[in-house]
Amino acid sequence: MTDRELLRHALAVIAYRGGKTLRGAPASFANHDTGGGSTPLKILAHISDLFDWALTMCQGQTKWKGAEPGTWDEEARRFHAALATLDEYLASDAPIHAEIPRLLAGPIADSLTHVGQLAILRRMCGAPISGENYYVAEIVTGRVGAEQAPPVKAF
């Protein structure tokens, strides 16, 4: 597996695990007050901002733009759309103008941290996601949309 393919697989992991935190969230979850002025909705918007930022780095024009969050459903669609756009770029022959280890250490790892935050917040809000063995999960490079395989081995 090349570094580029590994980055694409990391995006598929984020789509799988992140999508799980988005599906079936109660309406009250989006604006749950975490006590620090942040909300799951703001965290979700930030995750998409990270993917948009990573794309600009890949294109050689590093530019951060924090978007104003929309509704939960809009941000869930934006999450998968931003993943798809970045994945399409990585799947192409276009040059990557950023150091791949830095992309992994920066926006990609940061997004995984935030997906974990959403999972913890779901539990704290009384709407936990089910655990599963991610080692055997059907995570497919390039599958970054909302449609994901069901758990292979739920806990």
Side-chain angles (χ1 to χ4, degrees), residues 9 13 15 19 31 35 38 41 45 57 61-62 74 81 83 91 98 100 106 116 120 122 124-127 151:
H9 191 71
V13 168
N31 294 308
S38 188
L41 180 62
M57 286 188 247
Q61 52 182 315
T62 302
E74 290 168 342
L83 275 169
I100 290 176
I120 290 168
R122 284 278 307 257
M124 291 173 66
C125 290

Side-chain angles (χ1 to χ4, degrees), residues 2-8 10 54 57-58 89-90 94-109:
T2 67
D3 288 350
R4 195 174 195 131
E5 290 167 334
L6 183 60
L7 268 185
R8 290 190 65 219
M57 286 188 247
C58 289
Y89 189 88
L90 294 172
I96 298 176
H97 296 282
E99 294 177 48
I100 290 176
R102 290 187 182 275
L103 285 170
L104 181 60
I108 304 304

Side-chain angles (χ1 to χ4, degrees), residues 52-65 97-99 103 107:
D52 293 345
W53 181 46
L55 179 63
T56 69
M57 286 188 247
C58 289
Q59 296 169 333
Q61 52 182 315
T62 302
K63 182 179 179 186
W64 174 263
K65 182 181 179 219
H97 296 282
E99 294 177 48
L103 285 170

Side-chain angles (χ1 to χ4, degrees), residues 67-119:
E68 188 65 33
T71 66
W72 183 258
D73 289 340
E74 290 168 342
E75 290 304 324
R77 285 189 295 275
R78 182 173 167 241
F79 169 81
H80 289 291
L83 275 169
T85 302
L86 180 55
D87 184 66
E88 287 169 15
Y89 189 88
L90 294 172
S92 75
D93 292 332
I96 298 176
H97 296 282
E99 294 177 48
I100 290 176
R102 290 187 182 275
L103 285 170
L104 181 60
I108 304 304
D110 196 25
S111 67
L112 279 166
T113 298
H114 293 309
V115 164
Q117 287 176 316
L118 292 176

